[in-house]
Amino acid sequence: MSSEKLLTLKTRDGEEFVLEEAMAFRSLTIKNATSNYTINNTPLPINVEINTMIKVIEYWKKHSERGISEDELMNFDKKFFKLLHNSELFDLVVAVDYLADKGLSNAACEQVLDKITGKTPQEIRDIFNINNDCTPTSLGG
Amino acid sequence: MTQDGERVAVEGDREDRISDLPRNVIDRILELLPVQDAARTSILSRKWRYIWAMLPSLVLDVYLYLGLRRKSRSNFKEAVDDILLMHMGNIVKFVLDAYVLDDSEACFSSYDKSAVIDRWVLYVTRNGVKELALCMSDDNTYRLPPSIFNCLTLTQLMLSYCVFKPPNSLVGFQNLITLALSKITFVPTTSFCVIKAPRLASLTLIGCHGTQYLNIVSPGLESLDIYDSFYYILLNCFMNCKNLRVVRVGIDGVVSYPEHNEKSTLEKLLVSVPALELLSKDIVPNGLPFTLNCLWHLVLTVDFDKLGPICCALQLIKNSPNLSKLEIWVHVISDEVEAVLKYLDTPSCLERTLDKLEYVAISDFKSSKVELSFVKLLLSRTPSLRRMCIVQRTDIDIDIALELMRFPRASPRAELFYSQHKFLALDMDV
C-alpha cells in the first residue's frame, strides 16, 4: 500500500504530470517551492519542458531504485547520456541547473566536459557548431 | 532514434547551443577542466574569450605546472602572470601551489620568488577573492603579505608552509568562516596582537610551530581541529566559544606546559565548553574532576600497555554520563601487563554502569589480553549497548571470536561484530 505523497507539476509547455514527492524533492528548487506555499492540489509550475522532464524523471527513477549496484548505475548512466543529442544534452544541463539536483547536474556537466577535454579548439568548434568570429588581431588581446 | 540507439541528426544539433548556456553552467563546466584546457576555450570565439577571462575560479596547481612542462615551453610563472593579467572581474576562488616555483626553469632568488607571489596575492585580494588556498615550499620561509591580513572578502583561507606574522593593524578576517593552517610558523608580534574573526566557524591547525603566539578571538567557533602541534597551544582563547561542537585534538607530547601552574589547558577547555558533542584526542588528560554533560561521541587513541592511559580513558568515559558512541583506537600493546590486567579486574575501575552508551567500536584491535579484558569490562557495564564492533587489520582469529562471544553482556540486545578491515575507516552508521 503506497502511502507516498504525490506532487502535481506543470511544465513550461503546459503539460501536467504527477510525481512522488520523495523523488521530486531531489530537486532543491521543487523542494523549496513546495515549502513556500501550501499545496491544495494546484499543480506546481516548473520552468522545464516536458520532453526534458521525462528524461530527468527517467534518471531519477533509476537512481532511486532499491538494491541497484554501482555497476548497474554506471552502465545506465553511460547509455542514458549516449542516447542524447547535443541539443538534448544542453536542454538537460540547463533544466537540471534550474532544478538544482547536484548529482544529475554534475553528471550532465561531466558529459559536456568529456566532449571538450583533449580536443583542439577547431574540433570543439566542429562538435558544438561554434562560429569562429575571432579576427587574427583580436586573438592576441 | 534507431533501435540500437544510434543518433540521428536533429535540427537542434546544428545550432551553437553551448555558447548560450547560462553563464554559471559554463563556468561550472570550465572549472572542471584543467586550467590549460579551459584557457584554450578562449579562442573558440569572441564570446568564449570573455567566458574564460571572467572565470571566477582559478586553480593554479601542480597539475597545471606539470601540464605546462610537458606540453610547451612556457613556464609556470609566465603562465600565471598571463592568466591574471588577462583576467576580468572578480576572482572568487584562487588556489596556488607556489612551491612549484622552486623547480622552475627561471632561477629565482628567494626574494624574487616571495615578491612574485606577493604580487599575485595582492592582485586576487584586490579582486574580491573569497576562497584562497596557498601552498608554499617546505623551507617555510615565505612570509605572508599584509594583503592577506587585510582582505575583507575572505571566507575560506587555507595556508601551508608559511610564516604568519599579522600586522598590528589587522582588519581582515572579519568575514572568515573557515581557516585551515598547516605547517605554519607563528611569529611573535611587537605588540600584543589579537586576531578577531567574529564569523569563524571552523579552525584547523596541523603541525604548526609557535602556536603559543596565536591569539584568535572567534566566539562563534563550532569546530576546532588541532594536530601535531610542536608547542603548547594557548587554548584559553577558545574558552569563550559557546558554539563549539566538535573538538579534535591530537597533540604529540606535552599539552600542559610544565612551567605553568595551571593544569592542562585542554581540560579547562573541556569544562568551559557547554555544548561539546565530539571529542577526539590522541592523548588522554589526567584526572578529570568534573563531568562532561554534553559529550555524546568520544574518539580516543589509547596505549594499552600502560596503566596511565587506560585509567585516563576510563575516567573520561566515567565522567561523560551522556556518552552514547565510543570509538577506541588501539595504539600500543605489550605482554608485560600484569598491573593493567589486575586493575581492570578490580570493580572500582568502572563502578557505575554506562547507561547511555549504545555503540562501541574498537579499531586496530590487536587481540592482546588487556584489550580483551577491556572489552569484557565494557560489555558488562553497558546495559543499553546495541552494537560493539571490533575491527582489526589482520585476519580474524576464531579462538578470539569465541572468547569475545562468551563475555557476559549487560545488554540483552547487544550485537557483537568482529571483523577484518583493510583500511580501518570505521563507519558507524547507525
Side-chain angles (χ1 to χ4, degrees):
Chain A
M1 204 59 195
S2 166
S3 56
E4 286 122 0
K5 272 182 81 177
L6 296 174
L7 199 57
T8 312
L9 301 167
K10 186 167 184 180
T11 64
R12 189 164 65 211
D13 42 359
E15 300 274 343
E16 283 185 22
F17 63 96
V18 171
L19 199 58
E20 284 163 12
E21 206 180 67
M23 194 171 297
F25 280 7
R26 279 171 160 252
S27 153
L28 272 181
T29 309
I30 294 178
K31 193 173 182 188
N32 290 339
T34 54
S35 69
N36 281 342
Y37 70 92
T38 54
I39 312 155
N40 37 7
N41 282 333
T42 54
L44 176 68
I46 52 170
N47 193 14
V48 182
E49 290 189 359
I50 187 67
N51 287 335
T52 314
M53 201 61 213
I54 289 174
K55 302 247 170 34
V56 173
I57 295 172
E58 186 189 335
Y59 187 90
W60 281 351
K61 276 216 169 94
K62 195 68 179 178
H63 279 249
S64 307
E65 260 182 39
R66 302 178 134 245
I68 191 167
S69 71
E70 287 290 325
D71 283 340
E72 284 177 321
L73 275 180
M74 255 174 39
N75 282 335
F76 168 80
D77 283 3
K78 245 196 255 174
K79 279 206 212 105
F80 178 81
F81 287 111
K82 190 162 175 218
L83 292 176
L84 295 177
H85 304 264
N86 279 350
S87 61
E88 288 171 323
L89 177 60
F90 289 130
D91 284 337
L92 189 66
V93 167
V94 173
V96 180
D97 181 62
Y98 160 80
L99 288 171
D101 170 3
K102 203 159 181 204
L104 180 50
S105 199
N106 286 341
C109 285
E110 286 213 13
Q111 287 300 312
V112 181
L113 190 72
D114 282 344
K115 293 182 204 258
I116 302 181
T117 310
K119 304 269 191 342
T120 65
Q122 190 51 46
E123 283 172 333
I124 299 176
R125 287 197 203 103
D126 290 337
I127 294 174
F128 295 112
N129 305 307
I130 302 175
N131 179 27
N132 184 1
D133 57 358
C134 294
T135 60
T137 47
S138 69
L139 272 176
Chain B
M1 279 192 267
T2 62
Q3 283 224 306
D4 46 5
E6 267 179 25
R7 288 193 275 131
V8 176
V10 159
E11 193 60 45
D13 264 4
R14 293 199 210 110
E15 292 170 27
D16 172 10
R17 292 288 308 277
I18 193 171
S19 307
D20 289 333
L21 286 176
R23 188 49 147 290
N24 63 313
V25 175
I26 300 186
D27 283 346
R28 275 239 329 265
I29 297 172
L30 281 191
E31 282 162 22
L32 292 171
L33 282 171
V35 167
Q36 36 306 26
D37 287 332
R40 272 188 287 149
T41 64
S42 62
I43 62 169
L44 287 176
S45 76
R46 264 205 227 131
K47 188 171 192 179
W48 281 87
R49 222 174 42 204
Y50 293 104
I51 292 176
W52 157 247
M54 292 181 66
L55 199 63
S57 160
L58 290 175
V59 176
L60 309 170
D61 60 6
V62 62
Y63 298 107
L64 170 64
Y65 168 68
L66 291 172
L68 287 171
R69 227 176 44 167
R70 229 186 352 235
K71 289 196 182 149
S72 61
R73 300 237 137 210
S74 50
N75 72 31
F76 188 78
K77 176 195 176 290
E78 282 173 12
V80 177
D81 278 340
D82 281 344
I83 291 171
L84 288 182
L85 216 58
M86 297 216 279
H87 194 271
M88 290 163 46
N90 275 356
I91 298 175
V92 174
K93 177 173 164 181
F94 187 70
V95 174
L96 179 67
D97 282 344
Y99 61 86
V100 303
L101 286 174
D102 284 347
D103 222 27
S104 194
E105 290 131 9
C107 294
F108 286 110
S109 74
S110 175
Y111 171 74
D112 287 341
K113 237 192 314 172
S114 286
V116 161
I117 299 166
D118 286 353
R119 276 202 295 275
W120 291 340
V121 171
L122 180 64
Y123 182 84
V124 300
T125 52
R126 278 183 181 166
N127 281 285
V129 70
K130 290 195 182 157
E131 293 171 37
L132 178 60
L134 285 184
C135 187
M136 312 304 304
S137 54
D138 55 9
D139 60 8
N140 218 337
T141 52
Y142 178 72
R143 221 159 241 266
L144 287 168
S147 54
I148 283 195
F149 296 110
N150 294 327
C151 178
L152 290 169
T153 49
L154 280 175
T155 57
Q156 266 189 53
L157 182 58
M158 290 173 46
L159 302 168
S160 306
Y161 295 106
C162 307
V163 174
F164 190 106
K165 181 177 177 180
N168 293 338
S169 58
L170 186 146
V171 296
F173 289 21
Q174 289 196 19
N175 290 312
L176 200 58
I177 298 174
T178 308
L179 180 59
L181 303 173
S182 165
K183 308 286 196 205
I184 301 292
T185 305
F186 296 97
V187 173
T189 53
T190 45
S191 63
F192 191 62
C193 174
V194 174
I195 300 171
K196 293 208 187 81
R199 295 184 63 190
L200 194 65
S202 158
L203 176 62
T204 307
L205 298 168
I206 302 178
C208 297
H209 293 255
T211 41
Q212 70 271 34
Y213 302 120
L214 174 65
N215 196 339
I216 184 164
V217 174
S218 47
L221 198 64
E222 291 168 16
S223 146
L224 177 62
D225 287 65
I226 305 179
Y227 298 104
D228 296 335
S229 204
F230 287 90
Y231 212 69
Y232 71 92
I233 295 174
L234 271 179
L235 292 173
N236 292 308
C237 54
F238 303 116
M239 295 302 187
N240 290 320
C241 299
K242 298 291 175 221
N243 293 330
L244 199 54
R245 289 224 134 39
V246 175
V247 175
R248 282 180 280 250
V249 178
I251 300 177
D252 227 0
V254 186
V255 171
S256 61
Y257 192 56
E259 264 147 49
H260 283 218
N261 283 329
E262 352 178 317
K263 197 61 165 80
S264 166
T265 47
L266 181 61
E267 286 145 31
K268 278 195 170 179
L269 173 68
L270 299 182
V271 190
S272 68
V273 170
L276 193 62
E277 283 173 18
L278 167 75
L279 173 64
S280 156
K281 286 170 88 287
D282 274 348
I283 63 152
V284 186
N286 291 312
L288 293 175
F290 41 74
T291 52
L292 295 167
N293 283 310
C294 292
L295 190 60
W296 63 271
H297 184 169
L298 177 61
V299 179
L300 285 177
T301 302
V302 183
D303 287 345
F304 274 75
D305 62 336
K306 293 193 277 284
L307 196 53
I310 303 264
C311 283
C312 292
L314 285 173
Q315 182 118 51
L316 198 51
I317 295 169
K318 261 191 280 189
N319 288 342
S320 312
N322 289 311
L323 191 64
S324 109
K325 244 171 149 179
L326 174 65
E327 286 176 55
I328 304 255
W329 288 74
V330 178
H331 189 218
V332 177
I333 56 165
S334 153
D335 286 330
E336 316 266 305
V337 286
E338 290 307 319
V340 188
L341 286 173
K342 207 163 165 208
Y343 173 71
L344 285 174
D345 253 344
T346 54
S348 61
C349 75
L350 186 59
E351 310 106 335
R352 63 176 197 80
T353 55
L354 306 169
D355 294 326
K356 296 271 171 65
L357 194 53
E358 292 184 353
Y359 300 95
V360 177
I362 314 275
S363 304
D364 218 357
F365 189 68
K366 296 171 170 71
S367 321
S368 68
K369 291 210 194 93
V370 177
E371 291 162 81
L372 287 167
S373 199
F374 190 79
V375 169
K376 187 175 177 187
L377 178 67
L378 284 181
L379 284 170
S380 69
R381 295 282 198 275
T382 47
S384 307
L385 190 67
R386 286 164 69 172
R387 199 191 303 169
M388 159 107 49
C389 297
I390 298 176
V391 179
Q392 61 185 41
R393 287 186 217 247
T394 53
D395 291 333
I396 60 171
D397 182 329
I398 193 73
D399 290 324
I400 299 285
L402 290 172
E403 194 177 341
L404 287 170
M405 272 173 16
R406 275 197 287 265
F407 290 153
R409 300 176 205 178
S411 162
R413 294 190 302 158
E415 293 179 308
L416 183 61
F417 291 85
Y418 172 48
S419 60
Q420 179 187 15
H421 213 295
K422 291 209 181 77
F423 299 107
L424 288 179
L426 206 59
D427 183 12
M428 292 242 286
D429 246 359
V430 294

